[in-house]
Amino acid sequence: STWGTLLSSMHKLLWVPQLIGYTRLGLTAVSARFVDSDPATFLALTCLHMFLDVFDGLAARALSQQTKFGEVLDVVCDNVARSFLYVVATRLYPRALGLFSALLCVEWIVFVCSHASSVLARTNWKATMAGSTTPRFFAYMFSNNFRNPLGALAIGGVSGLPIAVYAYAHFGDSLSGIAHSAAAGGLAVLAVGRLVALSCEAFVVKRYIHELLAMDELPVRPRPE
């Protein structure tokens, strides 16, 4: 039965990659306590959250604990943390409310589209994006799971820009000379990376819309009497 199958799989919720994911969600919740009172602690907890992101995938492959639930949980952990950072950023820079809100929404829309695409294709969505039908620019970005210069720039922009904005707002004024210029330059590089990622996200959404439209062209199966 469906319930029997579900209950027999419940132990997977306690596999190591999932435990890492729950820990990351907990770190985001705990970090909220320090967002205003102790920026250094907030940054440390957020960086730990990002550091642990490396290990859930490694653990899944090393322990043969790769699951669809784990894939979704991993992205949810990323998006929840970044969404919180963007909310905080809107408090620090109220004039950027529209920009940060748009980026927040785009990331969740892309999550929905990419996950739905992987369900339709019955494979990881990144694998389909690196296929022969993908334009070279995006295929290269997706190749080797983003482990290439263009992919690193995009992932750096997505992951690093919101935390860098927070750090610059709290500690930028204390920097001077070369250090301040380096920090501003780093922010600029991350902003460029975020724009590169945005072009990729637009492609992912566009591709999924095409998939939906193609499904509408399929013949409708008659319902059984």
Side-chain angles (χ1 to χ4, degrees), residues 86-159:
Y86 278 126
V87 170
V88 172
T90 61
R91 296 170 57 204
L92 298 172
Y93 299 102
R95 292 184 178 180
L97 171 63
L99 173 62
F100 293 145
S101 298
L103 290 174
L104 188 158
C105 292
V106 164
E107 293 193 3
W108 283 104
I109 290 170
V110 170
F111 166 62
V112 171
C113 293
S114 59
H115 177 64
S117 291
S118 69
V119 172
L120 290 175
R122 296 181 180 275
T123 186
N124 186 283
W125 67 278
K126 295 177 187 176
T128 63
M129 292 299 168
S132 58
T133 60
T134 301
R136 289 184 179 181
F137 178 80
F138 298 118
Y140 175 69
M141 189 188 305
F142 281 105
S143 64
N144 198 25
N145 198 25
F146 292 103
R147 295 186 184 94
N148 57 76
L150 189 60
L153 178 63
I155 295 300
V158 170
S159 301

Side-chain angles (χ1 to χ4, degrees), residues 19-98:
L19 294 178
I20 295 174
Y22 305 147
T23 301
R24 294 175 64 206
L25 288 174
L27 284 171
T28 299
V30 172
S31 70
R33 169 67 178 78
F34 303 98
V35 66
D36 293 320
S37 61
D38 192 344
T41 299
F42 175 79
L43 283 173
L45 291 172
T46 303
C47 288
L48 178 58
H49 174 283
M50 297 171 66
F51 180 70
L52 288 176
D53 188 23
V54 177
F55 291 98
D56 53 3
L58 291 175
R61 290 185 290 273
L63 301 173
S64 297
Q65 295 183 348
Q66 295 167 289
T67 62
K68 286 295 182 183
F69 176 79
E71 288 182 13
V72 172
L73 179 63
D74 180 39
V75 181
V76 168
C77 290
D78 294 337
N79 280 14
V80 166
R82 286 198 298 270
S83 295
F84 180 62
L85 281 167
Y86 278 126
V87 170
V88 172
T90 61
R91 296 170 57 204
L92 298 172
Y93 299 102
R95 292 184 178 180
L97 171 63

Side-chain angles (χ1 to χ4, degrees), residues 168 172 175-189:
Y168 188 80
L175 303 176
S176 61
I178 295 176
H180 188 274
S181 298
L187 265 177
V189 171

